[in-house]
Amino acid sequence: GAVVSQHPSWVICKSGTSVKIECRSLDFQATTMFWYRQFPKQSLMLMATSNEGSKATYEQGVEKDKFLINHASLTLSTLTVTSAHPEDSSFYICSAREGGLNQPQHFGDGTRLSIL
Amino acid sequence: AQSVTQLDSHVSVSEGTPVLLRCNYSSSYSPSLFWYVQHPNKGLQLLLKYTSAATLVKGINGFEAEFKKSETSFHLTKPSAHMSDAAEYFCVVSDLGYNKLIFGAGTRLAVHP
């Protein structure tokens, strides 16, 4: 149980394009979803938290117009990197939580984004 | 404010020997604590969680962790390492006040034949 699917797993695109990453909870309803960014050999950096049907809460220093998050249903959240540039290249990971604050987050397998 | 310190950035063990990954936390109230494992180019997999029930928590793949309030520790152990245990391990505390997880810096576990 508690499977989170993230798609795509790899994406390479040209500078200036927009890229959408999907995160789905397959066997549970996710009241809250999270988006993280991970640099090589480093821990995860929380970018934003989203609850279904409401606007995402962004962490300090994360550009909300650059990283658009939509949480349209209890099983789907999307992250769109707009007008991507090489410095946006990174490993992006989503997670989903079912229920209250003391419940664990379940993570997707991540998306490796490379901007040429 | 809550924080997590993983005391070792790298741990190397031989296959079949015990594993100890150390974690200390600070919290102003009863925390929820987790250990996650990350294999290369993958997301994080939950190993085990502590949420104020039994202080000795058993997880998947033979791992367990003991919550020690007096020492503010939550160390991860396994009696006998397998080659497949080689990965990055994260100790995590749930920041209830801010609805988010606080991650340790991670410990890379290497297992040698």
Side-chain angles (χ1 to χ4, degrees):
Chain A
V3 179
V4 174
S5 174
Q6 190 172 337
H7 179 82
S9 54
W10 291 81
V11 59
I12 302 173
C13 60
K14 293 181 179 179
S15 183
T17 59
S18 293
V19 179
K20 180 183 285 188
I21 303 169
E22 290 188 350
C23 180
R24 295 181 183 272
S25 57
L26 298 186
D27 51 2
F28 67 99
Q29 292 190 323
T31 51
T32 309
M33 287 185 164
F34 304 82
W35 287 96
Y36 295 86
R37 183 172 180 175
Q38 186 177 32
F39 293 100
K41 300 186 185 302
Q42 293 189 26
S43 189
L44 278 68
M45 180 189 79
L46 179 66
M47 299 174 66
T49 302
S50 72
N51 294 292
E52 182 262 339
S54 60
K55 290 184 178 180
T57 301
Y58 289 81
E59 295 298 299
Q60 190 173 9
V62 178
E63 299 176 61
K64 58 183 66 177
D65 294 330
K66 174 73 158 176
F67 299 100
L68 300 179
I69 292 171
N70 183 277
H71 192 165
S73 76
L74 285 172
T75 59
L76 174 64
S77 177
T78 60
L79 168 68
T80 301
V81 184
T82 62
S83 186
H85 292 284
E87 58 266 27
D88 299 324
S89 299
S90 192
F91 192 56
Y92 293 88
I93 307 176
C94 74
S95 71
R97 186 181 67 208
E98 179 184 25
L101 296 175
N102 64 346
Q103 295 302 308
Q105 293 179 22
H106 302 283
F107 289 79
D109 275 346
T111 297
R112 175 74 58 192
L113 174 63
S114 295
I115 310 298
L116 303 179
Chain B
Q2 292 176 290
S3 66
V4 178
T5 302
Q6 291 184 243
L7 298 169
D8 308 290
S9 59
H10 291 82
V11 170
S12 181
V13 301
S14 298
E15 190 176 21
T17 64
V19 175
L20 170 64
L21 305 183
R22 300 182 294 166
C23 173
N24 286 103
Y25 69 92
S26 67
S27 176
S28 54
Y29 43 84
S30 296
S32 293
L33 293 159
F34 310 88
W35 276 99
Y36 285 88
V37 61
Q38 184 181 30
H39 291 276
N41 294 310
K42 290 289 187 179
L44 277 67
Q45 181 184 20
L46 179 66
L47 284 178
L48 48 82
K49 64 178 180 179
Y50 167 78
T51 53
S52 73
T55 56
L56 183 61
V57 182
K58 294 188 182 298
I60 62 172
N61 301 336
F63 284 95
E64 63 182 37
E66 185 171 8
F67 174 74
K68 290 187 177 180
K69 187 175 182 179
S70 61
E71 299 176 12
T72 62
S73 68
F74 190 57
H75 301 335
L76 181 71
T77 60
K78 182 173 180 177
S80 176
H82 293 175
M83 296 296 291
S84 60
D85 295 328
E88 188 85 19
Y89 291 80
F90 293 98
C91 181
V92 183
V93 63
S94 179
D95 187 330
L96 300 184
Y98 293 93
N99 188 30
K100 60 185 180 183
L101 298 181
I102 307 298
F103 284 79
T107 297
R108 181 164 297 276
L109 175 65
V111 182
H112 301 288

